[in-house]
mmCIF file of all heavy atoms in Angstrom:
data_model
loop_
_atom_site.group_PDB
_atom_site.id
_atom_site.type_symbol
_atom_site.label_atom_id
_atom_site.label_comp_id
_atom_site.label_asym_id
_atom_site.label_seq_id
_atom_site.Cartn_x
_atom_site.Cartn_y
_atom_site.Cartn_z
ATOM 1 N N GLU A 23 0.837 -1.208 -0.008
ATOM 2 C CA GLU A 23 0.000 -0.002 -0.001
ATOM 3 C C GLU A 23 0.864 1.246 0.003
ATOM 4 O O GLU A 23 0.550 2.242 -0.668
ATOM 5 C CB GLU A 23 -0.932 -0.001 1.216
ATOM 6 C CG GLU A 23 -2.041 -1.042 1.155
ATOM 7 C CD GLU A 23 -2.858 -0.928 -0.140
ATOM 8 O OE1 GLU A 23 -3.254 0.201 -0.494
ATOM 9 O OE2 GLU A 23 -3.047 -1.987 -0.807
ATOM 10 N N GLN A 24 1.966 1.208 0.750
ATOM 11 C CA GLN A 24 2.899 2.325 0.769
ATOM 12 C C GLN A 24 3.520 2.519 -0.599
ATOM 13 O O GLN A 24 3.681 3.647 -1.088
ATOM 14 C CB GLN A 24 3.997 2.072 1.813
ATOM 15 C CG GLN A 24 4.965 3.219 1.998
ATOM 16 C CD GLN A 24 4.296 4.473 2.544
ATOM 17 O OE1 GLN A 24 3.511 4.412 3.484
ATOM 18 N NE2 GLN A 24 4.577 5.641 1.924
ATOM 19 N N TYR A 25 3.901 1.395 -1.256
ATOM 20 C CA TYR A 25 4.453 1.468 -2.605
ATOM 21 C C TYR A 25 3.463 2.127 -3.566
ATOM 22 O O TYR A 25 3.847 3.008 -4.374
ATOM 23 C CB TYR A 25 4.830 0.066 -3.091
ATOM 24 C CG TYR A 25 5.097 -0.001 -4.582
ATOM 25 C CD1 TYR A 25 6.291 0.421 -5.119
ATOM 26 C CD2 TYR A 25 4.084 -0.447 -5.459
ATOM 27 C CE1 TYR A 25 6.525 0.397 -6.503
ATOM 28 C CE2 TYR A 25 4.308 -0.470 -6.830
ATOM 29 C CZ TYR A 25 5.520 -0.062 -7.353
ATOM 30 O OH TYR A 25 5.741 -0.062 -8.704
ATOM 31 N N LYS A 26 2.207 1.734 -3.509
ATOM 32 C CA LYS A 26 1.189 2.289 -4.422
ATOM 33 C C LYS A 26 1.017 3.781 -4.181
ATOM 34 O O LYS A 26 0.905 4.571 -5.126
ATOM 35 C CB LYS A 26 -0.153 1.563 -4.199
ATOM 36 C CG LYS A 26 -0.166 0.118 -4.673
ATOM 37 C CD LYS A 26 -1.500 -0.550 -4.376
ATOM 38 C CE LYS A 26 -1.525 -1.991 -4.843
ATOM 39 N NZ LYS A 26 -2.817 -2.650 -4.524
ATOM 40 N N LYS A 27 1.046 4.168 -2.903
ATOM 41 C CA LYS A 27 0.898 5.573 -2.574
ATOM 42 C C LYS A 27 2.075 6.395 -3.053
ATOM 43 O O LYS A 27 1.916 7.511 -3.577
ATOM 44 C CB LYS A 27 0.754 5.694 -1.054
ATOM 45 C CG LYS A 27 0.533 7.106 -0.550
ATOM 46 C CD LYS A 27 0.364 7.127 0.962
ATOM 47 C CE LYS A 27 0.218 8.550 1.483
ATOM 48 N NZ LYS A 27 0.084 8.559 2.982
ATOM 49 N N ASP A 28 3.272 5.846 -2.911
ATOM 50 C CA ASP A 28 4.497 6.568 -3.292
ATOM 51 C C ASP A 28 4.646 6.698 -4.796
ATOM 52 O O ASP A 28 5.186 7.697 -5.305
ATOM 53 C CB ASP A 28 5.727 5.862 -2.728
ATOM 54 C CG ASP A 28 5.798 5.950 -1.194
ATOM 55 O OD1 ASP A 28 5.108 6.807 -0.624
ATOM 56 O OD2 ASP A 28 6.555 5.155 -0.598
ATOM 57 N N THR A 29 4.242 5.675 -5.536
ATOM 58 C CA THR A 29 4.521 5.624 -6.971
ATOM 59 C C THR A 29 3.311 5.880 -7.855
ATOM 60 O O THR A 29 3.448 6.176 -9.046
ATOM 61 C CB THR A 29 5.127 4.257 -7.362
ATOM 62 O OG1 THR A 29 4.115 3.233 -7.124
ATOM 63 C CG2 THR A 29 6.368 3.970 -6.566
ATOM 64 N N GLY A 30 2.119 5.687 -7.313
ATOM 65 C CA GLY A 30 0.910 5.786 -8.142
ATOM 66 C C GLY A 30 0.671 4.536 -8.966
ATOM 67 O O GLY A 30 -0.289 4.474 -9.756
ATOM 68 N N ASP A 31 1.513 3.518 -8.811
ATOM 69 C CA ASP A 31 1.372 2.271 -9.537
ATOM 70 C C ASP A 31 0.414 1.372 -8.732
ATOM 71 O O ASP A 31 0.803 0.764 -7.726
ATOM 72 C CB ASP A 31 2.739 1.588 -9.677
ATOM 73 C CG ASP A 31 2.672 0.248 -10.391
ATOM 74 O OD1 ASP A 31 1.596 -0.082 -10.913
ATOM 75 O OD2 ASP A 31 3.707 -0.476 -10.415
ATOM 76 N N LEU A 32 -0.816 1.238 -9.213
ATOM 77 C CA LEU A 32 -1.842 0.524 -8.457
ATOM 78 C C LEU A 32 -1.892 -0.968 -8.803
ATOM 79 O O LEU A 32 -2.604 -1.722 -8.131
ATOM 80 C CB LEU A 32 -3.210 1.141 -8.714
ATOM 81 C CG LEU A 32 -3.341 2.621 -8.346
ATOM 82 C CD1 LEU A 32 -4.761 3.127 -8.624
ATOM 83 C CD2 LEU A 32 -2.962 2.849 -6.885
ATOM 84 N N GLN A 33 -1.158 -1.381 -9.811
ATOM 85 C CA GLN A 33 -1.157 -2.782 -10.202
ATOM 86 C C GLN A 33 0.310 -3.271 -10.389
ATOM 87 O O GLN A 33 0.742 -3.518 -11.498
ATOM 88 C CB GLN A 33 -1.954 -3.011 -11.464
ATOM 89 C CG GLN A 33 -3.460 -2.755 -11.280
ATOM 90 C CD GLN A 33 -4.226 -3.026 -12.566
ATOM 91 O OE1 GLN A 33 -3.810 -2.612 -13.652
ATOM 92 N NE2 GLN A 33 -5.364 -3.707 -12.440
ATOM 93 N N PRO A 34 1.038 -3.388 -9.303
ATOM 94 C CA PRO A 34 2.436 -3.823 -9.432
ATOM 95 C C PRO A 34 2.535 -5.244 -9.982
ATOM 96 O O PRO A 34 1.737 -6.117 -9.615
ATOM 97 C CB PRO A 34 2.955 -3.752 -7.985
ATOM 98 C CG PRO A 34 1.747 -3.812 -7.121
ATOM 99 C CD PRO A 34 0.647 -3.151 -7.898
ATOM 100 N N GLU A 35 3.492 -5.430 -10.861
ATOM 101 C CA GLU A 35 3.724 -6.769 -11.420
ATOM 102 C C GLU A 35 5.216 -6.998 -11.630
ATOM 103 O O GLU A 35 5.962 -6.062 -11.951
ATOM 104 C CB GLU A 35 2.952 -6.948 -12.721
ATOM 105 C CG GLU A 35 3.136 -5.841 -13.743
ATOM 106 C CD GLU A 35 2.200 -6.024 -14.937
ATOM 107 O OE1 GLU A 35 2.359 -7.046 -15.639
ATOM 108 O OE2 GLU A 35 1.343 -5.157 -15.153
ATOM 109 N N ILE A 36 5.643 -8.227 -11.457
ATOM 110 C CA ILE A 36 7.040 -8.577 -11.604
ATOM 111 C C ILE A 36 7.168 -9.872 -12.400
ATOM 112 O O ILE A 36 6.208 -10.633 -12.525
ATOM 113 C CB ILE A 36 7.746 -8.739 -10.240
ATOM 114 C CG1 ILE A 36 7.071 -9.854 -9.424
ATOM 115 C CG2 ILE A 36 7.756 -7.453 -9.460
ATOM 116 C CD1 ILE A 36 7.764 -10.174 -8.102
ATOM 117 N N THR A 37 8.345 -10.099 -12.939
ATOM 118 C CA THR A 37 8.653 -11.362 -13.646
ATOM 119 C C THR A 37 9.873 -12.006 -13.030
ATOM 120 O O THR A 37 10.910 -11.331 -12.807
ATOM 121 C CB THR A 37 8.925 -11.071 -15.155
ATOM 122 O OG1 THR A 37 7.747 -10.469 -15.739
ATOM 123 C CG2 THR A 37 9.250 -12.365 -15.897
ATOM 124 N N ILE A 38 9.767 -13.305 -12.752
ATOM 125 C CA ILE A 38 10.871 -14.070 -12.158
ATOM 126 C C ILE A 38 11.415 -15.031 -13.201
ATOM 127 O O ILE A 38 10.678 -15.831 -13.782
ATOM 128 C CB ILE A 38 10.402 -14.863 -10.922
ATOM 129 C CG1 ILE A 38 9.837 -13.912 -9.850
ATOM 130 C CG2 ILE A 38 11.555 -15.686 -10.338
ATOM 131 C CD1 ILE A 38 9.199 -14.623 -8.666
ATOM 132 N N GLY A 39 12.738 -14.977 -13.434
ATOM 133 C CA GLY A 39 13.383 -15.920 -14.335
ATOM 134 C C GLY A 39 13.942 -17.107 -13.539
ATOM 135 O O GLY A 39 14.594 -16.923 -12.513
ATOM 136 N N THR A 40 13.654 -18.312 -14.006
ATOM 137 C CA THR A 40 14.124 -19.514 -13.314
ATOM 138 C C THR A 40 14.304 -20.664 -14.311
ATOM 139 O O THR A 40 13.889 -20.552 -15.482
ATOM 140 C CB THR A 40 13.126 -19.954 -12.210
ATOM 141 O OG1 THR A 40 13.666 -21.052 -11.475
ATOM 142 C CG2 THR A 40 11.794 -20.368 -12.812
ATOM 143 N N ASN A 41 14.888 -21.762 -13.841
ATOM 144 C CA ASN A 41 14.891 -22.989 -14.639
ATOM 145 C C ASN A 41 13.855 -23.939 -14.060
ATOM 146 O O ASN A 41 13.292 -23.685 -12.995
ATOM 147 C CB ASN A 41 16.293 -23.613 -14.691
ATOM 148 C CG ASN A 41 16.846 -23.941 -13.302
ATOM 149 O OD1 ASN A 41 16.103 -24.224 -12.376
ATOM 150 N ND2 ASN A 41 18.159 -23.926 -13.168
ATOM 151 N N SER A 42 13.616 -25.049 -14.729
ATOM 152 C CA SER A 42 12.523 -25.947 -14.350
ATOM 153 C C SER A 42 12.754 -26.595 -12.989
ATOM 154 O O SER A 42 11.794 -26.960 -12.315
ATOM 155 C CB SER A 42 12.351 -27.024 -15.418
ATOM 156 O OG SER A 42 13.541 -27.779 -15.586
ATOM 157 N N GLN A 43 14.011 -26.741 -12.557
ATOM 158 C CA GLN A 43 14.294 -27.405 -11.296
ATOM 159 C C GLN A 43 13.705 -26.685 -10.113
ATOM 160 O O GLN A 43 13.346 -27.296 -9.084
ATOM 161 C CB GLN A 43 15.798 -27.567 -11.134
ATOM 162 C CG GLN A 43 16.196 -28.373 -9.891
ATOM 163 C CD GLN A 43 17.710 -28.526 -9.757
ATOM 164 O OE1 GLN A 43 18.477 -28.108 -10.630
ATOM 165 N NE2 GLN A 43 18.148 -29.119 -8.664
ATOM 166 N N TYR A 44 13.577 -25.344 -10.209
ATOM 167 C CA TYR A 44 13.058 -24.546 -9.106
ATOM 168 C C TYR A 44 11.677 -23.949 -9.397
ATOM 169 O O TYR A 44 11.239 -23.041 -8.699
ATOM 170 C CB TYR A 44 14.053 -23.434 -8.768
ATOM 171 C CG TYR A 44 15.355 -23.953 -8.200
ATOM 172 C CD1 TYR A 44 16.401 -24.351 -9.046
ATOM 173 C CD2 TYR A 44 15.520 -24.119 -6.839
ATOM 174 C CE1 TYR A 44 17.586 -24.854 -8.528
ATOM 175 C CE2 TYR A 44 16.717 -24.619 -6.295
ATOM 176 C CZ TYR A 44 17.724 -24.981 -7.156
ATOM 177 O OH TYR A 44 18.899 -25.476 -6.631
ATOM 178 N N LEU A 45 11.015 -24.526 -10.393
ATOM 179 C CA LEU A 45 9.703 -23.992 -10.773
ATOM 180 C C LEU A 45 8.705 -24.123 -9.619
ATOM 181 O O LEU A 45 7.900 -23.220 -9.406
ATOM 182 C CB LEU A 45 9.185 -24.731 -12.008
ATOM 183 C CG LEU A 45 7.810 -24.292 -12.540
ATOM 184 C CD1 LEU A 45 7.807 -22.817 -12.887
ATOM 185 C CD2 LEU A 45 7.411 -25.127 -13.761
ATOM 186 N N ASP A 46 8.763 -25.214 -8.884
ATOM 187 C CA ASP A 46 7.813 -25.415 -7.780
ATOM 188 C C ASP A 46 7.938 -24.324 -6.741
ATOM 189 O O ASP A 46 6.922 -23.795 -6.227
ATOM 190 C CB ASP A 46 7.977 -26.793 -7.153
ATOM 191 C CG ASP A 46 9.384 -27.078 -6.625
ATOM 192 O OD1 ASP A 46 10.322 -26.331 -6.976
ATOM 193 O OD2 ASP A 46 9.541 -28.063 -5.866
ATOM 194 N N ILE A 47 9.170 -23.911 -6.418
ATOM 195 C CA ILE A 47 9.396 -22.861 -5.431
ATOM 196 C C ILE A 47 8.904 -21.532 -5.950
ATOM 197 O O ILE A 47 8.240 -20.755 -5.253
ATOM 198 C CB ILE A 47 10.880 -22.778 -5.038
ATOM 199 C CG1 ILE A 47 11.201 -23.920 -4.067
ATOM 200 C CG2 ILE A 47 11.243 -21.437 -4.424
ATOM 201 C CD1 ILE A 47 12.618 -23.987 -3.613
ATOM 202 N N CYS A 48 9.197 -21.223 -7.224
ATOM 203 C CA CYS A 48 8.763 -19.957 -7.811
ATOM 204 C C CYS A 48 7.237 -19.887 -7.928
ATOM 205 O O CYS A 48 6.648 -18.813 -7.739
ATOM 206 C CB CYS A 48 9.414 -19.738 -9.185
ATOM 207 S SG CYS A 48 11.205 -19.442 -9.068
ATOM 208 N N GLU A 49 6.597 -21.014 -8.209
ATOM 209 C CA GLU A 49 5.129 -21.014 -8.284
ATOM 210 C C GLU A 49 4.518 -20.809 -6.909
ATOM 211 O O GLU A 49 3.476 -20.145 -6.780
ATOM 212 C CB GLU A 49 4.655 -22.330 -8.885
ATOM 213 C CG GLU A 49 4.886 -22.426 -10.390
ATOM 214 C CD GLU A 49 4.423 -23.738 -10.992
ATOM 215 O OE1 GLU A 49 4.335 -24.742 -10.236
ATOM 216 O OE2 GLU A 49 4.165 -23.779 -12.205
ATOM 217 N N TYR A 50 5.148 -21.353 -5.865
ATOM 218 C CA TYR A 50 4.660 -21.123 -4.510
ATOM 219 C C TYR A 50 4.777 -19.636 -4.162
ATOM 220 O O TYR A 50 3.820 -19.029 -3.633
ATOM 221 C CB TYR A 50 5.481 -21.953 -3.518
ATOM 222 C CG TYR A 50 5.248 -21.584 -2.072
ATOM 223 C CD1 TYR A 50 4.056 -21.841 -1.447
ATOM 224 C CD2 TYR A 50 6.234 -20.934 -1.331
ATOM 225 C CE1 TYR A 50 3.805 -21.473 -0.128
ATOM 226 C CE2 TYR A 50 6.038 -20.565 -0.007
ATOM 227 C CZ TYR A 50 4.826 -20.842 0.573
ATOM 228 O OH TYR A 50 4.581 -20.471 1.880
ATOM 229 N N ILE A 51 5.905 -19.010 -4.463
ATOM 230 C CA ILE A 51 6.077 -17.579 -4.201
ATOM 231 C C ILE A 51 5.097 -16.772 -5.013
ATOM 232 O O ILE A 51 4.510 -15.775 -4.547
ATOM 233 C CB ILE A 51 7.524 -17.160 -4.497
ATOM 234 C CG1 ILE A 51 8.503 -17.855 -3.507
ATOM 235 C CG2 ILE A 51 7.712 -15.656 -4.435
ATOM 236 C CD1 ILE A 51 9.952 -17.690 -3.832
ATOM 237 N N GLN A 52 4.849 -17.185 -6.260
ATOM 238 C CA GLN A 52 3.864 -16.514 -7.127
ATOM 239 C C GLN A 52 2.490 -16.481 -6.450
ATOM 240 O O GLN A 52 1.845 -15.413 -6.397
ATOM 241 C CB GLN A 52 3.791 -17.249 -8.458
ATOM 242 C CG GLN A 52 2.775 -16.673 -9.446
ATOM 243 C CD GLN A 52 2.633 -17.557 -10.680
ATOM 244 O OE1 GLN A 52 2.561 -18.782 -10.579
ATOM 245 N NE2 GLN A 52 2.608 -16.929 -11.841
ATOM 246 N N ARG A 53 2.044 -17.618 -5.944
ATOM 247 C CA ARG A 53 0.709 -17.674 -5.308
ATOM 248 C C ARG A 53 0.647 -16.772 -4.081
ATOM 249 O O ARG A 53 -0.341 -16.070 -3.856
ATOM 250 C CB ARG A 53 0.387 -19.121 -4.908
ATOM 251 C CG ARG A 53 0.142 -20.051 -6.085
ATOM 252 C CD ARG A 53 -0.449 -21.362 -5.641
ATOM 253 N NE ARG A 53 0.441 -22.126 -4.776
ATOM 254 C CZ ARG A 53 1.355 -22.989 -5.237
ATOM 255 N NH1 ARG A 53 1.485 -23.197 -6.540
ATOM 256 N NH2 ARG A 53 2.115 -23.650 -4.383
ATOM 257 N N GLU A 54 1.735 -16.794 -3.271
ATOM 258 C CA GLU A 54 1.735 -15.993 -2.058
ATOM 259 C C GLU A 54 1.769 -14.486 -2.363
ATOM 260 O O GLU A 54 1.138 -13.677 -1.690
ATOM 261 C CB GLU A 54 2.918 -16.385 -1.170
ATOM 262 C CG GLU A 54 2.884 -17.817 -0.667
ATOM 263 C CD GLU A 54 1.600 -18.141 0.081
ATOM 264 O OE1 GLU A 54 1.396 -17.532 1.162
ATOM 265 O OE2 GLU A 54 0.794 -18.955 -0.425
ATOM 266 N N LEU A 55 2.537 -14.086 -3.393
ATOM 267 C CA LEU A 55 2.615 -12.681 -3.757
ATOM 268 C C LEU A 55 1.289 -12.175 -4.323
ATOM 269 O O LEU A 55 0.915 -11.006 -4.084
ATOM 270 C CB LEU A 55 3.737 -12.458 -4.782
ATOM 271 C CG LEU A 55 5.166 -12.524 -4.254
ATOM 272 C CD1 LEU A 55 6.172 -12.391 -5.385
ATOM 273 C CD2 LEU A 55 5.416 -11.448 -3.212
ATOM 274 N N GLU A 56 0.616 -13.016 -5.061
ATOM 275 C CA GLU A 56 -0.669 -12.590 -5.611
ATOM 276 C C GLU A 56 -1.704 -12.344 -4.515
ATOM 277 O O GLU A 56 -2.624 -11.531 -4.667
ATOM 278 C CB GLU A 56 -1.147 -13.617 -6.625
ATOM 279 C CG GLU A 56 -0.334 -13.560 -7.931
ATOM 280 C CD GLU A 56 -0.685 -14.607 -8.958
ATOM 281 O OE1 GLU A 56 -1.441 -15.553 -8.585
ATOM 282 O OE2 GLU A 56 -0.201 -14.515 -10.095
ATOM 283 N N LYS A 57 -1.538 -13.005 -3.377
ATOM 284 C CA LYS A 57 -2.443 -12.779 -2.232
ATOM 285 C C LYS A 57 -2.277 -11.388 -1.639
ATOM 286 O O LYS A 57 -3.224 -10.856 -1.054
ATOM 287 C CB LYS A 57 -2.162 -13.813 -1.140
ATOM 288 C CG LYS A 57 -2.571 -15.237 -1.494
ATOM 289 C CD LYS A 57 -2.172 -16.191 -0.353
ATOM 290 C CE LYS A 57 -2.463 -17.631 -0.732
ATOM 291 N NZ LYS A 57 -2.045 -18.570 0.331
ATOM 292 N N ILE A 58 -1.080 -10.789 -1.802
ATOM 293 C CA ILE A 58 -0.883 -9.431 -1.232
ATOM 294 C C ILE A 58 -0.938 -8.350 -2.305
ATOM 295 O O ILE A 58 -0.628 -7.200 -2.040
ATOM 296 C CB ILE A 58 0.458 -9.348 -0.481
ATOM 297 C CG1 ILE A 58 1.641 -9.551 -1.423
ATOM 298 C CG2 ILE A 58 0.501 -10.372 0.658
ATOM 299 C CD1 ILE A 58 2.977 -9.144 -0.815
ATOM 300 N N GLY A 59 -1.273 -8.757 -3.555
ATOM 301 C CA GLY A 59 -1.509 -7.749 -4.567
ATOM 302 C C GLY A 59 -0.391 -7.536 -5.580
ATOM 303 O O GLY A 59 -0.366 -6.504 -6.238
ATOM 304 N N ILE A 60 0.525 -8.485 -5.708
ATOM 305 C CA ILE A 60 1.577 -8.373 -6.725
ATOM 306 C C ILE A 60 1.356 -9.464 -7.769
ATOM 307 O O ILE A 60 1.346 -10.662 -7.450
ATOM 308 C CB ILE A 60 2.983 -8.544 -6.121
ATOM 309 C CG1 ILE A 60 3.250 -7.499 -5.031
ATOM 310 C CG2 ILE A 60 4.051 -8.433 -7.202
ATOM 311 C CD1 ILE A 60 4.617 -7.641 -4.348
ATOM 312 N N ALA A 61 1.146 -9.058 -9.005
ATOM 313 C CA ALA A 61 1.002 -10.018 -10.098
ATOM 314 C C ALA A 61 2.387 -10.536 -10.493
ATOM 315 O O ALA A 61 3.339 -9.765 -10.629
ATOM 316 C CB ALA A 61 0.304 -9.380 -11.296
ATOM 317 N N VAL A 62 2.505 -11.863 -10.691
ATOM 318 C CA VAL A 62 3.816 -12.476 -10.958
ATOM 319 C C VAL A 62 3.743 -13.325 -12.222
ATOM 320 O O VAL A 62 2.861 -14.159 -12.388
ATOM 321 C CB VAL A 62 4.256 -13.357 -9.768
ATOM 322 C CG1 VAL A 62 5.603 -14.007 -10.081
ATOM 323 C CG2 VAL A 62 4.338 -12.538 -8.497
ATOM 324 N N THR A 63 4.707 -13.095 -13.108
ATOM 325 C CA THR A 63 4.922 -13.956 -14.261
ATOM 326 C C THR A 63 6.197 -14.737 -14.052
ATOM 327 O O THR A 63 7.207 -14.174 -13.617
ATOM 328 C CB THR A 63 5.046 -13.117 -15.560
ATOM 329 O OG1 THR A 63 3.847 -12.360 -15.751
ATOM 330 C CG2 THR A 63 5.270 -14.010 -16.778
ATOM 331 N N ILE A 64 6.165 -16.029 -14.356
ATOM 332 C CA ILE A 64 7.356 -16.875 -14.216
ATOM 333 C C ILE A 64 7.875 -17.213 -15.596
ATOM 334 O O ILE A 64 7.146 -17.758 -16.438
ATOM 335 C CB ILE A 64 7.054 -18.155 -13.424
ATOM 336 C CG1 ILE A 64 6.582 -17.798 -12.013
ATOM 337 C CG2 ILE A 64 8.306 -19.024 -13.343
ATOM 338 C CD1 ILE A 64 6.159 -19.001 -11.187
ATOM 339 N N ASP A 65 9.116 -16.866 -15.860
ATOM 340 C CA ASP A 65 9.745 -17.128 -17.146
ATOM 341 C C ASP A 65 10.703 -18.291 -16.975
ATOM 342 O O ASP A 65 11.782 -18.156 -16.379
ATOM 343 C CB ASP A 65 10.492 -15.870 -17.612
ATOM 344 C CG ASP A 65 10.991 -15.982 -19.034
ATOM 345 O OD1 ASP A 65 10.751 -17.024 -19.677
ATOM 346 O OD2 ASP A 65 11.637 -15.017 -19.521
ATOM 347 N N VAL A 66 10.300 -19.487 -17.470
ATOM 348 C CA VAL A 66 11.114 -20.688 -17.326
ATOM 349 C C VAL A 66 12.027 -20.847 -18.532
ATOM 350 O O VAL A 66 11.581 -20.729 -19.675
ATOM 351 C CB VAL A 66 10.224 -21.938 -17.178
ATOM 352 C CG1 VAL A 66 11.089 -23.182 -16.955
ATOM 353 C CG2 VAL A 66 9.245 -21.768 -16.013
#
């Protein structure tokens, strides 16, 4: 919420680069981040 207020960016989104071996961990983080309002794309 502080980030949105400071930047005016109301829909923060990030992309995580990984290999397939750690896809399960990155997908877990993706789900948890989306719960707090950060959209996540995983680039395998």
Side-chain angles (χ1 to χ4, degrees):
E23 290 306 313
Q24 184 64 46
Y25 165 79
K26 291 178 180 178
K27 182 178 178 182
D28 292 343
T29 64
D31 179 8
L32 301 181
Q33 294 181 316
E35 50 186 297
I36 60 175
T37 300
I38 301 173
T40 185
N41 58 29
S42 59
Q43 186 179 354
Y44 293 87
L45 180 59
D46 57 346
I47 283 179
C48 291
E49 286 179 337
Y50 169 69
I51 294 171
Q52 178 186 43
R53 290 192 297 271
E54 297 304 295
L55 286 176
E56 287 176 349
K57 291 177 184 177
I58 65 166
I60 302 178
V62 179
T63 300
I64 299 176
D65 189 0
V66 183

